[in-house]
């Protein structure tokens, strides 16, 4: 995943699943509060706030939550990257 990507010292955690993934038409909106994709609405219940809360909490700690493109030789589902930095810059 994005080899050679220059990041400050810290921790990177990749979370990958083998589910249906996130369709391209939903990718721009998944971090919006209350957003639930069409596929998600038919598969499970929920309020659509989980990714928004997660991204907001990581940002408050100077980190990031990102959706990555899946690679063909991996599990085939969604890939998220959590970034936490040793010396974060936090906007307040």
């Amino acid at each position: 995943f994005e080899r050679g990507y220059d990041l400050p010292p810290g921790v990177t955690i990749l979370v990958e699943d083998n589910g249906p993934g996130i369709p391209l038409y939903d990718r721009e909106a998944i971090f919006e509060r209350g957003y639930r994709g069409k596929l998600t609405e038919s598969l499970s219940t929920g309020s659509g706030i989980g990714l928004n809360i997660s991204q907001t909490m990581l940002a408050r700690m100077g980190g990031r939550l990102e959706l990555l493109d899946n690679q063909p030789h991996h599990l085939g589902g969604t890939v998220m990257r959590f970034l936490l930095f040793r010396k974060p810059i936090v906007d307040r």
Side-chain angles (χ1 to χ4, degrees):
F1 295 96
E2 298 183 38
R3 305 244 188 270
Y5 191 76
D6 257 348
L7 293 171
V11 174
T12 300
I13 300 170
L14 295 174
V15 177
E16 180 179 9
D17 68 25
N18 62 350
I22 298 172
L24 292 175
Y25 56 81
D26 280 334
R27 288 176 168 244
E28 291 294 319
I30 63 166
F31 293 108
E32 293 175 15
R33 188 173 191 83
Y35 182 81
R36 296 193 61 214
K38 290 176 181 32
L39 182 62
T40 303
E41 287 177 345
S42 65
L43 293 175
S44 66
T45 60
S47 59
I49 62 172
L51 287 174
N52 177 266
I53 290 172
S54 299
Q55 188 178 52
T56 300
M57 289 178 65
L58 282 165
R60 287 184 179 173
M61 293 184 283
R64 294 195 306 240
L65 174 60
E66 304 170 339
L67 173 65
L68 299 181
D69 290 330
N70 200 336
Q71 305 299 314
H73 58 281
H74 290 274
L75 294 177
T78 299
V79 181
M80 303 296 280
R81 177 169 57 190
F82 297 76
L83 299 163
L84 292 168
F85 305 108
R86 189 174 298 155
K87 294 182 180 180
I89 299 171
V90 180
D91 294 331
R92 294 197 187 249

